[in-house]
Amino acid sequence: MDELFIHFLQDIPAAYQRFVLELDEYLIAKGSKRTIKAAKSGFVTSYSSPASGRALLNYVFRKSGVKMRIYAEHIGEHPQVLNCLPDNMKTDIKKAGDCKKLTGSACTPTCPGGYTFVMDGEEYRKCKNMAFFHSLTAGNMEHILKLIKTEVEHEY
């Protein structure tokens, strides 16, 4: 384990360190590349797919706690995963901004667009940067893991 990762892990609340370590081991075993950069509010730790090079997951530190941004490009193929999320995570998804490109508005030229998916029978078109941006909490961990594993299975 490298020194920068140890510093990042120490910034994670103790109750969640085991989860973060196990997720790291899972992603590294699948071939993901981990990148850690120091930021004003803490480390930004990212994992990317070895096949496509695209981001799979970012940890972001906020005053409210640690957040995880999951890039769930293939989630539209798995509505059952979304339907089983707890209410707080569904609320986060519903509150996330709509994707400008998918709703016919202008966005930055480099943006590849967001995600279209169905959750609880309703279609959503959400921005990829905010659609799956969840707090790392005890109640969210198993659901975050399921989202990540669902995406990883498509990437590898």
Side-chain angles (χ1 to χ4, degrees):
M1 204 176 315
D2 63 62
E3 188 175 331
L4 201 51
F5 181 75
I6 292 169
H7 288 299
F8 156 72
L9 193 58
Q10 290 171 343
D11 282 355
I12 299 288
Y16 311 127
Q17 287 179 359
R18 183 181 176 118
F19 171 79
V20 170
L21 184 57
E22 289 175 1
L23 181 57
D24 177 77
E25 290 169 356
Y26 168 77
L27 291 170
I28 296 298
K30 290 289 190 176
S32 293
K33 179 184 175 193
R34 178 192 338 118
T35 306
I36 303 174
K37 297 178 184 173
K40 184 179 177 183
S41 58
F43 293 100
V44 175
T45 302
S46 303
Y47 293 85
S48 58
S49 164
S52 65
R54 73 173 190 83
L56 295 170
L57 163 72
N58 294 337
Y59 287 92
V60 181
F61 289 85
R62 297 284 193 254
K63 288 180 184 178
S64 60
V66 179
K67 307 259 303 175
M68 296 175 75
R69 178 176 287 123
I70 303 160
Y71 297 99
E73 182 176 321
H74 300 97
I75 200 61
E77 300 167 38
H78 303 281
Q80 71 281 5
V81 173
L82 295 171
N83 294 338
C84 293
L85 294 176
D87 289 341
N88 68 303
M89 290 179 74
K90 287 180 180 181
T91 299
D92 289 343
I93 293 168
K94 290 174 187 177
K95 286 182 179 178
D98 290 334
C99 174
K100 292 178 181 178
K101 283 193 173 182
L102 293 176
T103 56
S105 300
C107 191
T108 62
T110 57
C111 179
Y115 312 127
T116 300
F117 55 89
V118 175
M119 182 172 67
D120 295 334
E122 187 173 341
E123 184 178 85
Y124 294 90
R125 294 176 180 180
K126 295 295 182 177
C127 173
K128 74 179 200 99
N129 291 319
M130 297 307 292
F132 302 101
F133 191 51
H134 300 289
S135 295
L136 178 58
T137 66
N140 288 355
M141 287 190 301
E142 74 176 271
H143 303 286
I144 287 171
L145 184 60
K146 186 150 185 120
L147 283 169
I148 293 167
K149 284 186 172 184
T150 299
E151 191 60 26
V152 167
E153 293 307 315
H154 277 276
E155 283 291 312
Y156 303 94

PDB file of all heavy atoms in Angstrom, residues 5 8 20 23-25 27-28 32-35 45-49 54-59 71:
ATOM      1  N   PHE A   5      -1.989   6.630  -0.431  1.00  0.00           N
ATOM      2  CA  PHE A   5      -3.237   5.925  -0.149  1.00  0.00           C
ATOM      3  C   PHE A   5      -3.455   5.814   1.354  1.00  0.00           C
ATOM      4  O   PHE A   5      -4.580   5.968   1.844  1.00  0.00           O
ATOM      5  CB  PHE A   5      -3.266   4.533  -0.796  1.00  0.00           C
ATOM      6  CG  PHE A   5      -4.560   3.816  -0.538  1.00  0.00           C
ATOM      7  CD1 PHE A   5      -5.714   4.180  -1.219  1.00  0.00           C
ATOM      8  CD2 PHE A   5      -4.633   2.794   0.395  1.00  0.00           C
ATOM      9  CE1 PHE A   5      -6.930   3.531  -0.972  1.00  0.00           C
ATOM     10  CE2 PHE A   5      -5.833   2.134   0.642  1.00  0.00           C
ATOM     11  CZ  PHE A   5      -6.980   2.511  -0.045  1.00  0.00           C
ATOM     12  N   PHE A   8      -4.776   9.110   2.507  1.00  0.00           N
ATOM     13  CA  PHE A   8      -6.175   9.215   2.098  1.00  0.00           C
ATOM     14  C   PHE A   8      -7.055   8.392   3.031  1.00  0.00           C
ATOM     15  O   PHE A   8      -8.076   8.874   3.533  1.00  0.00           O
ATOM     16  CB  PHE A   8      -6.329   8.738   0.645  1.00  0.00           C
ATOM     17  CG  PHE A   8      -7.711   8.273   0.295  1.00  0.00           C
ATOM     18  CD1 PHE A   8      -8.758   9.177   0.151  1.00  0.00           C
ATOM     19  CD2 PHE A   8      -7.982   6.922   0.125  1.00  0.00           C
ATOM     20  CE1 PHE A   8     -10.046   8.742  -0.171  1.00  0.00           C
ATOM     21  CE2 PHE A   8      -9.256   6.486  -0.191  1.00  0.00           C
ATOM     22  CZ  PHE A   8     -10.287   7.398  -0.334  1.00  0.00           C
ATOM     23  N   VAL A  20     -13.797   1.121   2.554  1.00  0.00           N
ATOM     24  CA  VAL A  20     -12.987   1.792   1.535  1.00  0.00           C
ATOM     25  C   VAL A  20     -11.795   0.920   1.150  1.00  0.00           C
ATOM     26  O   VAL A  20     -11.471   0.782  -0.031  1.00  0.00           O
ATOM     27  CB  VAL A  20     -12.546   3.188   2.018  1.00  0.00           C
ATOM     28  CG1 VAL A  20     -11.505   3.808   1.102  1.00  0.00           C
ATOM     29  CG2 VAL A  20     -13.758   4.100   2.157  1.00  0.00           C
ATOM     30  N   LEU A  23     -13.087  -2.074  -0.904  1.00  0.00           N
ATOM     31  CA  LEU A  23     -13.467  -1.619  -2.239  1.00  0.00           C
ATOM     32  C   LEU A  23     -12.211  -1.358  -3.076  1.00  0.00           C
ATOM     33  O   LEU A  23     -12.152  -1.721  -4.255  1.00  0.00           O
ATOM     34  CB  LEU A  23     -14.344  -0.376  -2.162  1.00  0.00           C
ATOM     35  CG  LEU A  23     -14.832   0.177  -3.494  1.00  0.00           C
ATOM     36  CD1 LEU A  23     -15.604  -0.873  -4.295  1.00  0.00           C
ATOM     37  CD2 LEU A  23     -15.716   1.398  -3.252  1.00  0.00           C
ATOM     38  N   ASP A  24     -11.202  -0.761  -2.467  1.00  0.00           N
ATOM     39  CA  ASP A  24      -9.933  -0.520  -3.162  1.00  0.00           C
ATOM     40  C   ASP A  24      -9.331  -1.841  -3.627  1.00  0.00           C
ATOM     41  O   ASP A  24      -8.914  -1.965  -4.783  1.00  0.00           O
ATOM     42  CB  ASP A  24      -8.957   0.212  -2.229  1.00  0.00           C
ATOM     43  CG  ASP A  24      -7.603   0.411  -2.875  1.00  0.00           C
ATOM     44  OD1 ASP A  24      -7.472   1.307  -3.729  1.00  0.00           O
ATOM     45  OD2 ASP A  24      -6.662  -0.347  -2.519  1.00  0.00           O
ATOM     46  N   GLU A  25      -9.299  -2.819  -2.753  1.00  0.00           N
ATOM     47  CA  GLU A  25      -8.729  -4.125  -3.098  1.00  0.00           C
ATOM     48  C   GLU A  25      -9.513  -4.769  -4.244  1.00  0.00           C
ATOM     49  O   GLU A  25      -8.921  -5.337  -5.164  1.00  0.00           O
ATOM     50  CB  GLU A  25      -8.702  -5.038  -1.874  1.00  0.00           C
ATOM     51  CG  GLU A  25      -7.690  -4.592  -0.838  1.00  0.00           C
ATOM     52  CD  GLU A  25      -7.813  -5.325   0.497  1.00  0.00           C
ATOM     53  OE1 GLU A  25      -8.747  -6.145   0.671  1.00  0.00           O
ATOM     54  OE2 GLU A  25      -6.952  -5.077   1.369  1.00  0.00           O
ATOM     55  N   LEU A  27     -11.350  -3.215  -6.608  1.00  0.00           N
ATOM     56  CA  LEU A  27     -11.130  -2.475  -7.852  1.00  0.00           C
ATOM     57  C   LEU A  27      -9.728  -2.699  -8.414  1.00  0.00           C
ATOM     58  O   LEU A  27      -9.563  -2.874  -9.626  1.00  0.00           O
ATOM     59  CB  LEU A  27     -11.412  -0.989  -7.646  1.00  0.00           C
ATOM     60  CG  LEU A  27     -12.879  -0.634  -7.420  1.00  0.00           C
ATOM     61  CD1 LEU A  27     -13.024   0.820  -6.983  1.00  0.00           C
ATOM     62  CD2 LEU A  27     -13.706  -0.909  -8.657  1.00  0.00           C
ATOM     63  N   ILE A  28      -8.732  -2.726  -7.549  1.00  0.00           N
ATOM     64  CA  ILE A  28      -7.354  -2.967  -7.996  1.00  0.00           C
ATOM     65  C   ILE A  28      -7.237  -4.384  -8.560  1.00  0.00           C
ATOM     66  O   ILE A  28      -6.605  -4.606  -9.596  1.00  0.00           O
ATOM     67  CB  ILE A  28      -6.344  -2.722  -6.855  1.00  0.00           C
ATOM     68  CG1 ILE A  28      -6.364  -1.245  -6.409  1.00  0.00           C
ATOM     69  CG2 ILE A  28      -4.932  -3.172  -7.247  1.00  0.00           C
ATOM     70  CD1 ILE A  28      -5.979  -0.236  -7.462  1.00  0.00           C
ATOM     71  N   SER A  32      -8.371  -1.894 -12.079  1.00  0.00           N
ATOM     72  CA  SER A  32      -8.597  -0.440 -12.061  1.00  0.00           C
ATOM     73  C   SER A  32      -7.322   0.301 -11.690  1.00  0.00           C
ATOM     74  O   SER A  32      -6.500  -0.186 -10.914  1.00  0.00           O
ATOM     75  CB  SER A  32      -9.692  -0.077 -11.051  1.00  0.00           C
ATOM     76  OG  SER A  32     -10.921  -0.566 -11.477  1.00  0.00           O
ATOM     77  N   LYS A  33      -7.207   1.476 -12.234  1.00  0.00           N
ATOM     78  CA  LYS A  33      -6.083   2.351 -11.903  1.00  0.00           C
ATOM     79  C   LYS A  33      -6.563   3.354 -10.854  1.00  0.00           C
ATOM     80  O   LYS A  33      -7.588   4.014 -11.038  1.00  0.00           O
ATOM     81  CB  LYS A  33      -5.602   3.091 -13.148  1.00  0.00           C
ATOM     82  CG  LYS A  33      -4.456   4.030 -12.872  1.00  0.00           C
ATOM     83  CD  LYS A  33      -4.065   4.816 -14.102  1.00  0.00           C
ATOM     84  CE  LYS A  33      -2.998   5.825 -13.721  1.00  0.00           C
ATOM     85  NZ  LYS A  33      -2.793   6.809 -14.767  1.00  0.00           N
ATOM     86  N   ARG A  34      -5.833   3.457  -9.763  1.00  0.00           N
ATOM     87  CA  ARG A  34      -6.158   4.407  -8.700  1.00  0.00           C
ATOM     88  C   ARG A  34      -5.275   5.640  -8.856  1.00  0.00           C
ATOM     89  O   ARG A  34      -4.076   5.529  -9.055  1.00  0.00           O
ATOM     90  CB  ARG A  34      -5.912   3.794  -7.331  1.00  0.00           C
ATOM     91  CG  ARG A  34      -6.196   4.761  -6.217  1.00  0.00           C
ATOM     92  CD  ARG A  34      -5.720   4.360  -4.830  1.00  0.00           C
ATOM     93  NE  ARG A  34      -5.478   2.993  -4.510  1.00  0.00           N
ATOM     94  CZ  ARG A  34      -4.288   2.511  -4.143  1.00  0.00           C
ATOM     95  NH1 ARG A  34      -3.214   3.274  -4.130  1.00  0.00           N
ATOM     96  NH2 ARG A  34      -4.149   1.237  -3.825  1.00  0.00           N
ATOM     97  N   THR A  35      -5.901   6.829  -8.749  1.00  0.00           N
ATOM     98  CA  THR A  35      -5.182   8.099  -8.795  1.00  0.00           C
ATOM     99  C   THR A  35      -5.587   8.902  -7.564  1.00  0.00           C
ATOM    100  O   THR A  35      -6.779   9.019  -7.270  1.00  0.00           O
ATOM    101  CB  THR A  35      -5.559   8.893 -10.062  1.00  0.00           C
ATOM    102  OG1 THR A  35      -5.343   8.073 -11.197  1.00  0.00           O
ATOM    103  CG2 THR A  35      -4.747  10.158 -10.176  1.00  0.00           C
ATOM    104  N   THR A  45      -9.686  10.941  -4.681  1.00  0.00           N
ATOM    105  CA  THR A  45      -9.204   9.626  -5.084  1.00  0.00           C
ATOM    106  C   THR A  45     -10.132   9.092  -6.154  1.00  0.00           C
ATOM    107  O   THR A  45     -11.348   9.073  -5.974  1.00  0.00           O
ATOM    108  CB  THR A  45      -9.151   8.684  -3.867  1.00  0.00           C
ATOM    109  OG1 THR A  45      -8.292   9.267  -2.889  1.00  0.00           O
ATOM    110  CG2 THR A  45      -8.631   7.309  -4.254  1.00  0.00           C
ATOM    111  N   SER A  46      -9.551   8.675  -7.276  1.00  0.00           N
ATOM    112  CA  SER A  46     -10.325   8.223  -8.425  1.00  0.00           C
ATOM    113  C   SER A  46      -9.872   6.837  -8.848  1.00  0.00           C
ATOM    114  O   SER A  46      -8.706   6.477  -8.696  1.00  0.00           O
ATOM    115  CB  SER A  46     -10.133   9.166  -9.609  1.00  0.00           C
ATOM    116  OG  SER A  46     -10.477  10.476  -9.271  1.00  0.00           O
ATOM    117  N   TYR A  47     -10.807   6.109  -9.419  1.00  0.00           N
ATOM    118  CA  TYR A  47     -10.516   4.804 -10.007  1.00  0.00           C
ATOM    119  C   TYR A  47     -11.001   4.843 -11.443  1.00  0.00           C
ATOM    120  O   TYR A  47     -12.086   5.336 -11.710  1.00  0.00           O
ATOM    121  CB  TYR A  47     -11.236   3.686  -9.249  1.00  0.00           C
ATOM    122  CG  TYR A  47     -10.720   3.510  -7.845  1.00  0.00           C
ATOM    123  CD1 TYR A  47     -11.210   4.278  -6.804  1.00  0.00           C
ATOM    124  CD2 TYR A  47      -9.711   2.599  -7.575  1.00  0.00           C
ATOM    125  CE1 TYR A  47     -10.725   4.141  -5.522  1.00  0.00           C
ATOM    126  CE2 TYR A  47      -9.214   2.453  -6.285  1.00  0.00           C
ATOM    127  CZ  TYR A  47      -9.722   3.227  -5.263  1.00  0.00           C
ATOM    128  OH  TYR A  47      -9.241   3.088  -3.983  1.00  0.00           O
ATOM    129  N   SER A  48     -10.184   4.306 -12.343  1.00  0.00           N
ATOM    130  CA  SER A  48     -10.577   4.282 -13.741  1.00  0.00           C
ATOM    131  C   SER A  48     -10.457   2.873 -14.301  1.00  0.00           C
ATOM    132  O   SER A  48      -9.684   2.056 -13.813  1.00  0.00           O
ATOM    133  CB  SER A  48      -9.746   5.264 -14.559  1.00  0.00           C
ATOM    134  OG  SER A  48      -8.373   4.961 -14.436  1.00  0.00           O
ATOM    135  N   SER A  49     -11.223   2.633 -15.337  1.00  0.00           N
ATOM    136  CA  SER A  49     -11.270   1.339 -15.994  1.00  0.00           C
ATOM    137  C   SER A  49      -9.994   1.098 -16.786  1.00  0.00           C
ATOM    138  O   SER A  49      -9.544   1.978 -17.504  1.00  0.00           O
ATOM    139  CB  SER A  49     -12.474   1.305 -16.935  1.00  0.00           C
ATOM    140  OG  SER A  49     -12.362   0.235 -17.841  1.00  0.00           O
ATOM    141  N   ARG A  54     -11.931   5.288 -18.716  1.00  0.00           N
ATOM    142  CA  ARG A  54     -12.903   6.229 -18.156  1.00  0.00           C
ATOM    143  C   ARG A  54     -13.026   6.037 -16.643  1.00  0.00           C
ATOM    144  O   ARG A  54     -12.784   4.958 -16.111  1.00  0.00           O
ATOM    145  CB  ARG A  54     -14.254   6.099 -18.840  1.00  0.00           C
ATOM    146  CG  ARG A  54     -15.032   4.881 -18.480  1.00  0.00           C
ATOM    147  CD  ARG A  54     -16.447   4.917 -19.090  1.00  0.00           C
ATOM    148  NE  ARG A  54     -17.223   3.855 -18.533  1.00  0.00           N
ATOM    149  CZ  ARG A  54     -17.869   3.903 -17.370  1.00  0.00           C
ATOM    150  NH1 ARG A  54     -17.835   4.985 -16.635  1.00  0.00           N
ATOM    151  NH2 ARG A  54     -18.555   2.873 -16.926  1.00  0.00           N
ATOM    152  N   ALA A  55     -13.418   7.104 -15.978  1.00  0.00           N
ATOM    153  CA  ALA A  55     -13.566   7.075 -14.519  1.00  0.00           C
ATOM    154  C   ALA A  55     -14.726   6.172 -14.109  1.00  0.00           C
ATOM    155  O   ALA A  55     -15.772   6.149 -14.758  1.00  0.00           O
ATOM    156  CB  ALA A  55     -13.797   8.483 -13.995  1.00  0.00           C
ATOM    157  N   LEU A  56     -14.522   5.442 -13.037  1.00  0.00           N
ATOM    158  CA  LEU A  56     -15.567   4.602 -12.456  1.00  0.00           C
ATOM    159  C   LEU A  56     -16.096   5.193 -11.150  1.00  0.00           C
ATOM    160  O   LEU A  56     -17.275   5.064 -10.843  1.00  0.00           O
ATOM    161  CB  LEU A  56     -15.025   3.198 -12.160  1.00  0.00           C
ATOM    162  CG  LEU A  56     -14.596   2.361 -13.345  1.00  0.00           C
ATOM    163  CD1 LEU A  56     -13.850   1.116 -12.880  1.00  0.00           C
ATOM    164  CD2 LEU A  56     -15.812   1.963 -14.156  1.00  0.00           C
ATOM    165  N   LEU A  57     -15.192   5.833 -10.400  1.00  0.00           N
ATOM    166  CA  LEU A  57     -15.534   6.265  -9.047  1.00  0.00           C
ATOM    167  C   LEU A  57     -14.577   7.343  -8.582  1.00  0.00           C
ATOM    168  O   LEU A  57     -13.382   7.270  -8.866  1.00  0.00           O
ATOM    169  CB  LEU A  57     -15.434   5.047  -8.116  1.00  0.00           C
ATOM    170  CG  LEU A  57     -15.343   5.257  -6.619  1.00  0.00           C
ATOM    171  CD1 LEU A  57     -16.671   5.732  -6.068  1.00  0.00           C
ATOM    172  CD2 LEU A  57     -14.937   3.976  -5.921  1.00  0.00           C
ATOM    173  N   ASN A  58     -15.115   8.331  -7.869  1.00  0.00           N
ATOM    174  CA  ASN A  58     -14.296   9.345  -7.196  1.00  0.00           C
ATOM    175  C   ASN A  58     -14.757   9.463  -5.754  1.00  0.00           C
ATOM    176  O   ASN A  58     -15.960   9.437  -5.491  1.00  0.00           O
ATOM    177  CB  ASN A  58     -14.482  10.743  -7.815  1.00  0.00           C
ATOM    178  CG  ASN A  58     -13.974  10.854  -9.214  1.00  0.00           C
ATOM    179  OD1 ASN A  58     -13.130  10.112  -9.658  1.00  0.00           O
ATOM    180  ND2 ASN A  58     -14.522  11.814  -9.930  1.00  0.00           N
ATOM    181  N   TYR A  59     -13.815   9.629  -4.854  1.00  0.00           N
ATOM    182  CA  TYR A  59     -14.125  10.021  -3.483  1.00  0.00           C
ATOM    183  C   TYR A  59     -13.898  11.522  -3.404  1.00  0.00           C
ATOM    184  O   TYR A  59     -12.889  12.026  -3.889  1.00  0.00           O
ATOM    185  CB  TYR A  59     -13.174   9.365  -2.476  1.00  0.00           C
ATOM    186  CG  TYR A  59     -13.400   7.897  -2.264  1.00  0.00           C
ATOM    187  CD1 TYR A  59     -12.707   6.954  -3.009  1.00  0.00           C
ATOM    188  CD2 TYR A  59     -14.292   7.447  -1.295  1.00  0.00           C
ATOM    189  CE1 TYR A  59     -12.892   5.602  -2.799  1.00  0.00           C
ATOM    190  CE2 TYR A  59     -14.481   6.097  -1.079  1.00  0.00           C
ATOM    191  CZ  TYR A  59     -13.776   5.183  -1.837  1.00  0.00           C
ATOM    192  OH  TYR A  59     -13.972   3.845  -1.613  1.00  0.00           O
ATOM    193  N   TYR A  71     -19.662   6.764 -11.586  1.00  0.00           N
ATOM    194  CA  TYR A  71     -19.968   6.970 -12.995  1.00  0.00           C
ATOM    195  C   TYR A  71     -20.610   5.681 -13.520  1.00  0.00           C
ATOM    196  O   TYR A  71     -19.926   4.740 -13.907  1.00  0.00           O
ATOM    197  CB  TYR A  71     -18.701   7.332 -13.773  1.00  0.00           C
ATOM    198  CG  TYR A  71     -18.114   8.638 -13.299  1.00  0.00           C
ATOM    199  CD1 TYR A  71     -17.053   8.671 -12.405  1.00  0.00           C
ATOM    200  CD2 TYR A  71     -18.654   9.841 -13.734  1.00  0.00           C
ATOM    201  CE1 TYR A  71     -16.529   9.882 -11.969  1.00  0.00           C
ATOM    202  CE2 TYR A  71     -18.135  11.059 -13.302  1.00  0.00           C
ATOM    203  CZ  TYR A  71     -17.076  11.064 -12.416  1.00  0.00           C
ATOM    204  OH  TYR A  71     -16.558  12.252 -11.981  1.00  0.00           O
TER     205      TYR A  71
END
